[in-house]
Amino acid sequence: MGITGEHHFGIARKIVSNMTSESWEQIPHAVMNYEPDVTEFIKECKKLNEGNTDPSKKITINTVMIKVISEGLKQAPKLNAHLEFNRRLVRGCLKTFDHVDVSMPMILPNGEMMTINMHDMGSKTLTEMTEAINDAARKAKNTDLNEVMFEVSLDNTLNNLKRGKIGQTINRLYGSKTGKHKVHTLKGNAKKEYYSIPETDRLTKHDIEQGTITITNLGSIYRPYRGECCLLEIIPPQVSAIAINAAQKRPVVTKDAEGNDQITIGMVMPIAVAIDHRAVDYGDMVPFIQKLDEIFANPSVIQEWK
């Protein structure tokens, strides 16, 4: 068996690997899979763009789904929360929020992936959400991934130092500043030129700081995908994470003209919801699912969100 190459982690991969490791080390995950019939819902989504000839203003199903989930979270605030937990003292505190900040993975122009914090998506219209997502994509084109990730990493390291995590701080600094694993950031004129770009035209740590919940749209990564995500990690201090899968043709039970059950071909969109079982139980998810059931049963409501 021959080695074909060595790929040392860059700062983005370092941050992801550290956060996901922390997730599985600390969080007892519980997952519920939800499979709504979205046949009529998708038809309503298409109506949103009728008469629109500007591709930049197109309202995508991804955007509508973020809005749907945000509406569900308003009914289940414990899912839209951060947890503080001290296992040694067995003390916990769940902090809920009056806004929905969505941590949303986004593929950058260079092919790398970054999780963007889409702030306050719960109060925005679909048009405002589209503008916010497009603006984040615009700023990403002017963003040096290493620089913005280093800003976040440095901020996180300093906060850990304030909490007395001296050993962890020393280890992180050593790991990022020495040998083959050294993190390379801009220097000299290149750095000066980069930071001369207004913050309104590039992503900053404010754009990638921790949101209140992570929502991943797997369907947008590979649309022909047939299947569903059944397990995903929760990034602390968040207490839930949601994966939206590609809508796919499935046999569904509907009613015929006489009100009898019949099997037809419909569109189903599997959704996986992972919760931190230290803070949330399955019962806390019921209002969330009920709200989504209500929306998918009466999908014309999305026209009011435009």
Side-chain angles (χ1 to χ4, degrees):
M1 181 175 65
I3 296 175
T4 60
E6 290 186 359
H7 308 277
H8 296 290
F9 286 1
I11 189 167
R13 198 73 250 166
K14 284 175 179 280
I15 291 175
V16 171
S17 61
N18 181 66
M19 293 177 72
T20 52
S21 294
E22 183 179 341
S23 170
W24 292 111
E25 288 169 358
Q26 296 183 5
I27 298 176
H29 289 64
V31 180
M32 175 183 287
N33 288 327
Y34 172 61
E35 298 186 348
D37 180 346
V38 295
T39 308
E40 298 302 317
F41 172 79
I42 290 178
K43 292 178 183 178
E44 290 293 337
C45 287
K46 292 179 179 178
K47 291 181 185 179
L48 292 169
N49 294 301
E50 289 179 353
N52 177 25
T53 58
D54 186 348
S56 68
K57 295 182 179 180
K58 179 183 178 182
I59 299 172
T60 66
I61 291 179
N62 177 61
T63 301
V64 183
M65 283 304 302
I66 292 176
K67 179 66 173 177
V68 169
I69 289 170
S70 296
E71 292 300 307
L73 292 172
K74 292 176 185 178
Q75 305 304 314
K78 285 186 177 181
L79 300 182
N80 185 54
H82 284 179
L83 173 66
E84 291 181 357
F85 182 74
N86 185 315
R87 187 175 182 184
R88 184 171 61 87
L89 299 176
V90 197
R91 292 176 177 174
C93 177
L94 188 65
K95 297 182 177 180
T96 56
F97 300 97
D98 61 358
H99 55 277
V100 180
D101 288 350
V102 178
S103 292
M104 185 181 77
M106 178 182 291
I107 298 177
L108 301 180
N110 63 1
E112 294 184 283
M113 185 170 285
M114 177 185 289
T115 299
I116 311 295
N117 186 334
M118 303 306 304
H119 292 271
D120 201 18
M121 295 301 263
S123 67
K124 289 181 170 62
T125 65
L126 292 173
T127 299
E128 291 170 338
M129 292 170 71
T130 298
E131 291 172 350
I133 292 171
N134 288 343
D135 191 53
R138 176 188 65 84
K139 292 193 288 186
K141 294 178 180 179
N142 299 321
T143 300
D144 185 290
L145 184 61
N146 282 346
E147 285 297 318
V148 70
M149 286 294 193
F150 184 76
E151 289 180 32
V152 173
S153 179
L154 180 61
D155 187 63
N156 182 258
T157 299
L158 292 175
N159 285 332
N160 284 338
L161 187 60
K162 291 177 183 178
R163 298 189 189 103
K165 297 181 179 180
I166 299 174
Q168 184 185 78
T169 300
I170 293 173
N171 288 336
R172 285 189 176 183
L173 290 173
Y174 178 80
S176 64
K177 293 295 185 181
T178 60
K180 296 179 181 179
H181 301 277
K182 183 178 180 179
V183 173
H184 297 282
T185 54
L186 297 175
K187 305 291 182 183
N189 289 334
K191 184 172 185 176
K192 183 177 180 181
E193 182 178 345
Y194 175 71
Y195 283 99
S196 69
I197 300 173
E199 291 190 353
T200 53
D201 292 329
R202 58 181 170 84
L203 297 174
T204 67
K205 65 180 181 180
H206 174 71
D207 297 300
I208 59 174
E209 66 187 1
Q210 187 73 272
T212 58
I213 189 171
T214 296
I215 303 175
T216 302
N217 187 349
L218 298 176
S220 67
I221 297 174
Y222 182 57
R223 290 188 178 181
Y225 166 68
R226 292 295 174 264
E228 59 187 278
C229 170
C230 295
L231 186 61
L232 64 159
E233 67 272 358
I234 301 159
I235 304 302
Q238 297 175 6
V239 298
S240 61
I242 297 175
I244 305 167
N245 296 271
Q248 46 205 276
K249 290 182 179 179
R250 296 267 188 94
V252 297
V253 178
T254 59
K255 299 287 186 181
D256 62 19
E258 286 73 38
N260 300 312
D261 288 344
Q262 62 179 0
I263 296 177
T264 60
I265 297 175
M267 298 297 291
V268 172
M269 184 182 291
I271 299 171
V273 184
I275 58 172
D276 183 336
H277 224 328
R278 296 175 300 178
V280 185
D281 297 315
Y282 282 116
D284 297 312
M285 300 170 67
V286 172
F288 173 80
I289 299 298
Q290 287 176 329
K291 184 61 178 180
L292 267 61
D293 280 343
E294 177 186 321
I295 293 170
F296 292 129
N298 301 281
S300 61
V301 69
I302 70 173
Q303 305 301 330
E304 301 173 10
W305 299 344
K306 190 173 180 181

